[in-house]
């Protein structure tokens, strides 16, 4: 399908940008409207929406997002992402890691558009693509993290599970929050109809385990399954979400990674409903997963960051009887009231409750405040030791995670320790697919005229690639 000739029918301002100055588009304001009037503001906003907005990003440089994306960005639900640190409490260890999920979401939307637009320009006829496909992919990239809780993955992977909540998904919550944005009138029906909105939700949750595409209420995208490979790739975990967070996190944490993400975006082709890569990118893709493992080892599971996260969880659990955080996870309008400012809300609880110290009902908040005070003074939980479990023990099914009581029984030091004084954490770093080699699920092609895809065995590329893609469990103790 060729792009429409009439500019009024162009759904994406990127098409307009190919014919106009991308930085200074030709706005046509009503010169008779006073600049200070509400009418001028409405006229300006209308023109602004028509051309989208430019963003100057330290990772992806200058890029434009379309008017529909701007309508979502300028909603309270999306602006909440400004108060969610991308790396949560890791900021306390890496002072440069102050970036938020707001800019990460913008970057993923930009990359999603770039990949989908490249496919559309080169293969739209054979794939029966239209511009709506690009629209839903960009919106999925933009909205994929709307449902993240406070303090990054600490909320869903540690806090909720410690309260006995399992199976909750931030991806599904992202789709529910997007629905509230639509219900609030930020998007008109002619800009995003119900079917397209359901398709966006499909693309967001598509990589979730046991996800059933029909559950969103939209027709399954089986004829365009490759669209799921762009934002949240459940097939082999190569997606623009990973492209952005690896580039952004490594940049702000000053950790060097060696994969060339630009080549992975460009040297692709859809074959048999799957995004495939040029054969020359095998090593580059390996470096992508190696970079992920490096960031997990050096940043995401840093031992002091882990200690701070454990203190945070204790503080939130202590305050939960008053703040009712775990009861808000099933209602998107209640959920969006929670962000990283929770710590400040707990610390300054007396501002809204002047007599709270006189009430026993607020004892949980006081207990939480004591932990936060230790955190502010850098009186952190102490990392004690760690042990790496030998692979032979794992393969022989001889490994069993010890209990805290087992550790106390084996302890022979001079200090008397109680069960509540010890926290054990089991951690295992992998190449995104546990013990499997993710490249076994990647297909390649010879050149851009190729019609066939094929797998590449690592031993046929180089004998130096590893045989193990998941580190043995590491048991860490903190007191």
């Amino acid at each position: 399908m060729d792009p429409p000739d009439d500019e009024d029918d162009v759904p994406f301002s990127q098409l307009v940008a190919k014919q106009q100055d991308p930085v200074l588009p030709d706005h046509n304001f009503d010169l008779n409207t006073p600049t200070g009037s509400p009418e001028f503001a409405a006229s300006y906003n209308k023109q602004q929406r028509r051309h989208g907005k430019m963003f100057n990003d330290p990772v992806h440089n200058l890029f434009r997002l379309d008017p529909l994306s701007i309508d979502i960005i300028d909603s309270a639900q999306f602006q909440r992402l400004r108060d969610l640190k991308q790396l949560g409490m890791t900021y306390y260890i890496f002072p440069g890691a102050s970036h938020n999920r707001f800019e990460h979401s913008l970057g993923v939307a930009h990359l999603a558009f770039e990949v989908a637009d490249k496919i559309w320009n080169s293969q739209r006829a054979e794939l029966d693509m239209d511009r709506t496909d690009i629209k839903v992919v960009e919106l999925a990239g933009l909205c994929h993290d709307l449902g993240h809780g406070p303090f990054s993955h600490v909320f869903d992977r540690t806090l909720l599970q410690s309260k006995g909540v399992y199976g909750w998904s931030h991806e599904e919550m992202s789709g529910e929050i997007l629905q509230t944005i639509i219900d609030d009138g930020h998007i008109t029906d002619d800009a995003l109809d119900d079917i397209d909105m359901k398709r966006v939700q499909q693309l967001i949750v598509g990589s979730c385990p046991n996800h059933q595409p029909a559950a969103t209420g939209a027709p399954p995208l089986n004829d365009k399954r490759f669209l799921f490979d762009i934002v949240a790739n459940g097939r082999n975990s190569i997606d623009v979400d990973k492209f952005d967070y690896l580039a952004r996190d490594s940049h702000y944490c000053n950790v060097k990674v060696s994969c060339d993400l630009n080549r992975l975006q460009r040297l692709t082709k859809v074959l048999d409903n799957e995004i495939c890569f040029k054969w020359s990118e095998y090593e580059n893709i390996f470096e992508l997963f190696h970079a992920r493992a490096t960031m997990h080892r050096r940043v995401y599971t840093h031992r002091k960051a882990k200690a701070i996260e454990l203190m945070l969880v204790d503080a939130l659990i202590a305050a939960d009887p008053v703040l009712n955080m775990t009861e808000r996870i099933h209602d998107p309008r209640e959920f969006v009231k929670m962000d990283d400012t929770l710590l400040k809300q707990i610390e300054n609880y007396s501002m809204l409750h002047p007599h709270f110290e006189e009430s026993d009902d607020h004892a949980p908040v006081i207990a939480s405040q004591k932990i936060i005070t230790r955190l502010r003074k850098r009186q952190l939980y102490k990392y004690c030791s760690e042990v790496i479990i030998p692979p032979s023990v794992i393969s022989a099914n001889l490994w069993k995670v010890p209990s805290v009581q087992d550790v106390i029984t084996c302890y022979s030091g001079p200090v008397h320790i109680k069960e509540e004084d010890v926290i054990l954490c089991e951690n295992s770093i992998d190449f995104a697919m546990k013990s499997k080699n993710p490249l076994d699920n990647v297909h390649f092609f010879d050149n851009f005229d190729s019609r066939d895809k094929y797998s590449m065995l690592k031993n046929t590329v180089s004998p130096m690639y590893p045989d193990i893609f998941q580190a043995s469990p590491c048991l860490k103790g903190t007191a």
Side-chain angles (χ1 to χ4, degrees):
M1 179 183 295
D2 293 326
D5 295 327
D6 187 355
E7 183 180 317
D8 292 336
D9 295 331
V10 177
F12 272 47
S13 61
Q14 282 89 343
L15 291 179
V16 179
K18 294 177 181 178
Q19 301 174 359
Q20 299 180 354
D21 187 326
V23 181
L24 298 173
D26 184 17
H27 293 291
N28 295 315
F29 296 121
D30 183 357
L31 298 180
N32 296 322
T33 304
T35 58
S37 69
E39 291 79 8
F40 177 84
S43 173
Y44 178 80
N45 288 335
K46 182 178 179 181
Q47 292 290 339
Q48 204 174 33
R49 291 293 189 273
R50 175 177 176 76
H51 294 282
K53 282 186 179 178
M54 303 294 298
F55 295 90
N56 191 17
D57 183 67
V59 175
H60 305 302
N61 299 317
L62 193 66
F63 64 84
R64 180 192 298 274
L65 293 181
D66 71 283
L68 182 55
S69 293
I70 304 306
D71 287 335
I72 294 176
I73 292 170
D74 291 343
S75 66
Q77 294 93 326
F78 194 92
Q79 292 294 316
R80 164 182 172 268
L81 299 181
R82 292 183 185 271
D83 292 319
L84 294 179
K85 287 281 188 295
Q86 175 78 6
L87 298 183
M89 302 302 283
T90 305
Y91 175 52
Y92 280 64
I93 305 301
F94 294 86
S98 59
H99 54 301
N100 304 313
R101 293 204 174 270
F102 179 86
E103 49 264 39
H104 165 64
S105 297
L106 300 184
V108 175
H110 161 64
L111 295 181
F113 169 84
E114 290 291 311
V115 172
D117 186 59
K118 176 203 173 290
I119 296 172
W120 184 84
N121 281 319
S122 60
Q123 294 183 268
R124 61 181 179 271
E126 61 181 287
L127 299 176
D128 193 28
M129 285 185 70
D130 56 42
R131 299 302 294 186
T132 302
D133 294 325
I134 305 178
K135 175 173 68 176
V136 298
V137 168
E138 179 180 325
L139 293 181
L142 183 71
C143 301
H144 79 287
D145 271 355
L146 282 176
H148 252 292
F151 312 108
S152 193
H153 289 288
V154 173
F155 183 82
D156 51 346
R157 295 179 181 174
T158 308
L159 175 64
L160 292 185
Q161 292 184 13
S162 68
K163 299 287 290 186
V165 179
Y166 293 89
W168 185 87
S169 165
H170 79 266
E171 291 92 348
E172 293 181 358
M173 177 56 71
S174 295
E176 294 180 28
I177 294 175
L178 175 59
Q179 183 63 60
T180 67
I181 294 176
I182 295 173
D183 294 342
D184 290 346
H186 289 280
I187 302 175
T188 59
D189 292 338
D190 59 337
L192 185 71
D193 61 29
D194 186 62
I195 294 297
D196 286 343
M197 192 277 292
K198 298 298 184 183
R199 294 176 72 200
V200 173
Q201 291 177 319
Q202 281 188 26
L203 295 174
I204 291 175
V205 303
S207 64
C208 296
N210 304 320
H211 168 66
Q212 299 296 328
T216 61
L221 289 170
N222 294 333
D223 59 329
K224 297 179 182 178
R225 180 63 182 81
F226 66 91
L227 295 177
F228 284 93
D229 295 345
I230 299 177
V231 175
N233 191 342
R235 195 196 311 262
N236 52 43
S237 196
I238 304 174
D239 51 47
V240 296
D241 179 28
K242 187 175 278 79
F243 292 174
D244 184 88
Y245 79 67
L246 285 178
R248 195 172 300 277
D249 295 351
S250 61
H251 171 79
Y252 283 104
C253 294
N254 195 30
V255 175
K256 308 304 180 185
V257 294
S258 60
C259 56
D260 189 335
L261 300 175
N262 186 55
R263 289 179 64 92
L264 293 182
Q265 295 171 51
R266 295 181 179 276
L267 299 180
T268 60
K269 182 178 182 179
V270 176
L271 294 170
D272 293 338
N273 219 358
E274 173 187 358
I275 294 182
C276 303
F277 298 85
K278 196 169 187 292
W279 66 271
S280 60
E281 297 313 295
Y282 188 97
E283 183 171 359
N284 196 18
I285 295 174
F286 175 85
E287 291 297 336
L288 172 74
F289 292 111
H290 185 266
R292 178 187 181 276
T294 297
M295 290 298 294
H296 272 271
R297 185 171 58 254
R298 296 179 60 182
V299 178
Y300 305 150
T301 61
H302 190 285
R303 64 187 189 184
K304 285 191 178 294
K306 206 67 181 176
I308 292 174
E309 289 177 358
L310 293 172
M311 294 184 71
L312 168 70
V313 170
D314 286 347
L316 295 179
I317 290 176
D320 193 47
V322 174
L323 300 182
N324 299 316
M325 290 171 289
T326 52
E327 295 180 7
R328 301 177 187 271
I329 63 174
H330 303 295
D331 183 348
R333 294 195 181 276
E334 287 296 314
F335 181 81
V336 296
K337 296 177 182 178
M338 299 188 294
D339 53 39
D340 288 359
T341 63
L342 279 175
L343 285 186
K344 281 293 185 182
Q345 294 179 38
I346 296 172
E347 285 181 296
N348 301 321
Y349 195 76
S350 60
M351 293 179 62
L352 298 177
H353 304 81
H355 305 293
F356 89 102
E357 293 184 359
E358 303 171 7
S359 171
D360 293 338
D361 294 338
H362 298 118
V365 175
I366 296 176
S368 179
Q369 288 177 335
K370 291 179 180 179
I371 300 175
I372 297 174
T373 298
R374 285 188 58 186
L375 182 60
R376 299 300 191 195
K377 293 181 177 180
R378 204 74 176 181
Q379 298 172 357
L380 307 179
Y381 291 172
K382 298 300 181 183
Y383 165 83
C384 297
S385 184
E386 68 180 62
V387 58
I388 297 178
I389 314 305
S392 58
V393 174
I394 303 297
S395 59
N397 293 323
L398 299 176
W399 167 244
K400 180 182 178 182
V401 180
S403 66
V404 171
Q405 188 59 50
D406 292 333
V407 175
I408 294 176
T409 302
C410 295
Y411 175 71
S412 58
V415 179
H416 175 69
I417 56 175
K418 302 184 293 295
E419 193 166 330
E420 59 267 24
D421 294 331
V422 180
I423 303 175
L424 295 179
C425 297
E426 186 181 22
N427 180 53
S428 184
I429 297 173
D430 56 47
F431 270 34
M433 300 191 75
K434 299 189 180 300
S435 61
K436 298 179 181 179
N437 178 6
L439 281 91
D440 290 343
N441 293 328
V442 181
H443 287 94
F444 299 87
F445 59 88
D446 288 324
N447 54 64
F448 285 101
D449 294 327
S450 299
R451 293 295 178 183
D452 297 318
K453 65 180 184 181
Y454 55 87
S455 299
M456 294 178 65
L457 299 177
K458 60 184 179 65
N459 291 335
T460 65
V461 180
S462 171
M464 298 182 67
Y465 286 110
D467 294 321
I468 299 175
F469 298 91
Q470 182 180 33
S472 298
C474 176
L475 191 68
K476 299 183 180 182
T478 303

